[in-house]
């Protein structure tokens, strides 16, 4: 079983749609959680950190359920520019620890 | 403020050869981690360096080795290349411990093709 599991997609949605991605992690020692975005043939870029209380950044909302070891990302009012692969990432400690990535969920927003 | 830089951007090698990839961390960062990303997969952790020593290692064979220099830059060396080593190699840097929420920032990667 992979340490971080994501639905690979692809998710094909029209512009303006709301889309949700889910992720589960197996290591209960995980302490920090993130969503990264990766465009085709580019490096991963931090989209947002995920906090226990849930957090929002514009059209993006992230949720964490430590009891269920479950992380989610909600994108509202999808834009064409949101098309990318979204990587769920966990870290067992501080920044010095190794990041463990899911395989990513591909999103394609269509006009 | 320069971000993480890597060189070269692309590389083609043949099986059995050796390769060295280079990384300069973001200004103010002292920790460098290396990841391998195969097509269609998420990045996999190779190892991490700080204070010029390997501090953590993922599930990669000894053919993968590295080094960190006093200026915090780093090299990844892969010996006896296999076809399966073809991947995007990503370097990520992070700062000294600061509150526990610091994440890692990635360079553009080196795309290695082994023929």
């Amino acid at each position: 079983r992979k340490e971080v599991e994501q639905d690979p997609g692809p998710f094909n949605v029209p512009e303006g749609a709301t889309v949700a991605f889910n992720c589960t992690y197996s290591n209960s020692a995980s302490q920090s959680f993130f969503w990264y975005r990766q465009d085709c043939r580019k490096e991963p870029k931090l989209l947002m950190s995920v906090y226990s209380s849930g957090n929002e950044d514009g059209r993006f909302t992230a949720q964490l359920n430590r009891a269920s070891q479950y992380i989610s990302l909600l994108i509202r009012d999808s834009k064409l520019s949101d098309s990318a692969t979204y990587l769920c990432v966990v870290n067992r400690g501080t920044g010095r620890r190794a990041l463990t990535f899911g395989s990513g969920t591909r999103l394609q927003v269509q006009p | 403020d320069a971000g993480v830089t890597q060189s070269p951007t692309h590389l083609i090698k043949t099986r059995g050869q050796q390769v060295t990839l280079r990384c300069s961390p973001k200004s103010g960062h002292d920790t460098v981690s290396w990841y391998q990303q195969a097509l269609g997969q998420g990045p996999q952790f190779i190892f991490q360096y700080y204070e010029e020593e390997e501090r953590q290692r993922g599930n990669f064979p000894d053919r993968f080795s590295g080094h960190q220099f006093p200026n915090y830059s780093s090299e990844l060396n892969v010996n006896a290349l296999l076809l399966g080593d073809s991947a995007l190699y990503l370097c990520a840097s992070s700062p000294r411990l600061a509150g526990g929420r610091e994440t890692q920032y990635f360079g553009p990667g080196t795309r290695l093709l082994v023929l």
Side-chain angles (χ1 to χ4, degrees), chain B residues 14-76:
Chain B
T14 57
R15 279 180 298 176
Q17 284 189 311
Q18 178 263 345
V19 68
T20 297
L21 311 181
R22 296 177 177 82
C23 170
S24 290
K26 187 175 164 65
S27 177
H29 289 187
D30 66 343
T31 300
V32 172
S33 303
W34 287 92
Y35 294 81
Q36 179 195 65
Q37 187 174 24
L39 202 61
Q41 300 297 315
Q44 298 294 312
F45 175 72
I46 302 174
F47 43 54
Q48 184 177 82
Y49 280 82
Y50 61 89
E51 295 176 356
E52 300 178 50
E53 290 191 22
E54 182 182 300
R55 299 294 178 171
Q56 289 191 80
R57 189 178 184 92
N59 189 24
F60 278 80
D62 292 345
R63 298 187 297 109
F64 289 77
S65 63
H67 188 77
Q68 186 179 38
F69 300 93
N71 67 352
Y72 309 126
S73 67
S74 177
E75 288 182 349
L76 163 66

Side-chain angles (χ1 to χ4, degrees), chain A residues 4 32 35 56 62 66-67 79-80 87:
Chain A
V4 179
S32 304
W35 284 101
E56 191 173 302
R66 284 186 185 268
K79 312 289 185 192
L80 294 176
L87 297 160

